[in-house]
Amino acid sequence: MTTWKDKIDLDRLPKHIAIIMDGNGRWAKQRGKLRTFGHSHGVKAVRETAEAAAEIGIRFLTLYAFSTENWNRPQSEVNALMKLLVKTIHRETKTLHDNDIRLLAIGDLDSLPDVTYRELNDAIKETSDHKRMSMILALSYSSRWEITQAARKIALAVNENKLDPNTIDQKLFESYLITRNFPDPELLIRTSGEYRISNYLLWQIAYSELYFTPKLWPDFRKEDLYEAIVDFQKRERRFGKTSEQVIR
Ligand code: IPE
Ligand code: IPE
Ligand code: MG
């Protein structure tokens, strides 16, 4: 039986895949359980996806785990998610070591509860020498927050005469974003059948290929990631040019 994995052209892999992990609540509801049950079951999907990506040679995987707007959910769900994060990061550090994966995080990390922040920082430090893939958790992240704080830092630098406003171009602006050390994602995946971006990496996905699947996040497995990559490899990325110009 040929698998999706067999169909991937390893010479044309995306360097960076970003995922909006959505549908945990609905997954739990379908089973008559509380939403947090779905979040717990989303952990396996994270592990599988990280392993699948590292296995074939993806260099960056950015996972939307908690948005700025998610703070507005019922306090009990927010607390459960923060607790789950601590537990998961602690337990899965071994998975990161075994797969040579470096953990990183983007977002307003100061707004996280102390224990969550500490656990996260410990795992980031412990895995900092790993080279195969970077797994970037977007936590308390939203793109408008990121872009606004970049604008503020640029304004301050101008104010302090450290930056000439005439030198502000796209490259300079990007250097003020928290994703400055990562290439833009070539592929963005969203699970759960929603067709929206929900304030995720708005600047960075300017030319990303978008892939939507009805699968709910807790059901997402290695082959689902590979299927998305095969789909991505069938696309013609034109970047504004004509088809004739980009055919090699
Ligand atoms: C995604 O699942 C996880 C987070 C946003 C933290 P949801 O919790 O959004 O699940 P649905 O979309 O309500 O099914
Ligand atoms: C986006 O999912 C955020 C994460 C996956 C962490 P949401 O479930 O919060 O997005 P909306 O509210 O459906 O747009
Ligand atoms: Mg959702």
Side-chain angles (χ1 to χ4, degrees), residues 24-38:
N24 296 351
R26 278 162 282 170
W27 189 90
K29 205 171 171 195
Q30 285 173 1
R31 287 159 180 77
K33 304 276 193 187
L34 294 173
R35 296 176 54 81
T36 46
F37 183 74

Side-chain angles (χ1 to χ4, degrees), residues 120-144:
L120 179 68
N121 247 341
D122 287 350
I124 289 173
K125 274 191 214 134
E126 279 175 39
T127 61
S128 62
D129 288 335
H130 293 335
K131 299 265 180 309
R132 198 173 180 196
M133 184 179 85
S134 293
M135 184 169 102
I136 305 142
L137 289 183
L139 276 175
S140 191
Y141 173 87
S142 76
S143 200
R144 287 184 174 179

Side-chain angles (χ1 to χ4, degrees), residues 26-240:
R26 278 162 282 170
W27 189 90
K29 205 171 171 195
Q30 285 173 1
R31 287 159 180 77
K33 304 276 193 187
L34 294 173
R35 296 176 54 81
T36 46
F37 183 74
H39 297 316
S40 307
H41 280 263
V43 174
K44 183 167 181 188
V46 173
R47 189 189 310 129
E48 288 245 342
T49 305
E51 285 181 351
E55 230 171 75
I56 57 166
I58 303 298
R59 301 307 313 276
F60 300 90
L61 177 70
T62 303
L63 302 174
Y64 207 1
F66 194 84
S67 73
T68 307
E69 289 76 18
N70 288 150
W71 290 113
N72 299 321
R73 290 192 177 191
Q75 194 58 46
S76 57
E77 181 170 346
V78 171
N79 292 346
L81 274 166
M82 290 301 141
K83 256 195 180 159
L84 179 68
L85 262 168
V86 174
K87 202 168 92 181
T88 305
I89 294 168
H90 189 75
R91 279 206 194 144
E92 299 295 331
T93 307
K94 186 178 176 322
T95 311
L96 300 175
H97 288 314
D98 291 349
N99 292 280
D100 196 15
I101 299 173
R102 176 179 189 180
L103 183 72
L104 293 161
I106 54 170
D108 185 10
L109 304 181
D110 291 336
S111 65
L112 296 173
D114 283 353
V115 279
T116 312
Y117 183 82
R118 260 184 279 131
E119 197 67 50
L120 179 68
N121 247 341
D122 287 350
I124 289 173
K125 274 191 214 134
E126 279 175 39
T127 61
S128 62
D129 288 335
H130 293 335
K131 299 265 180 309
R132 198 173 180 196
M133 184 179 85
S134 293
M135 184 169 102
I136 305 142
L137 289 183
L139 276 175
S140 191
Y141 173 87
S142 76
S143 200
R144 287 184 174 179
W145 165 81
E146 180 190 24
I147 291 170
T148 309
Q149 60 101 39
R152 190 186 315 119
K153 284 183 188 160
I154 289 170
L156 284 170
V158 169
N159 217 9
E160 292 165 6
N161 288 320
K162 287 179 186 152
L163 182 67
D164 173 1
N166 293 310
T167 63
I168 300 174
D169 56 10
Q170 292 187 23
K171 212 163 160 258
L172 181 122
F173 194 88
E174 263 170 5
S175 74
Y176 281 82
L177 295 174
I178 38 175
T179 52
R180 61 186 156 270
N181 296 321
F182 320 130
D184 288 344
E186 296 95 328
L187 172 61
L188 171 71
I189 298 171
R190 181 170 190 147
T191 59
S192 90
E194 306 291 0
Y195 296 92
R196 56 176 171 265
I197 302 300
S198 303
N199 217 347
Y200 193 40
L201 302 172
L202 299 177
W203 173 283
Q204 297 85 345
I205 61 167
Y207 264 107
S208 302
E209 296 297 328
L210 309 182
Y211 180 88
F212 298 97
T213 166
K215 274 244 165 127
L216 302 176
W217 179 251
D219 290 327
F220 199 81
R221 293 291 174 268
K222 289 186 173 186
E223 276 292 291
D224 296 308
L225 180 77
Y226 295 147
E227 183 177 4
I229 295 172
V230 170
D231 191 274
F232 163 82
Q233 292 187 330
K234 287 188 197 135
R235 315 241 185 127
E236 182 179 72
R237 307 189 71 206
R238 291 192 287 277
F239 300 98

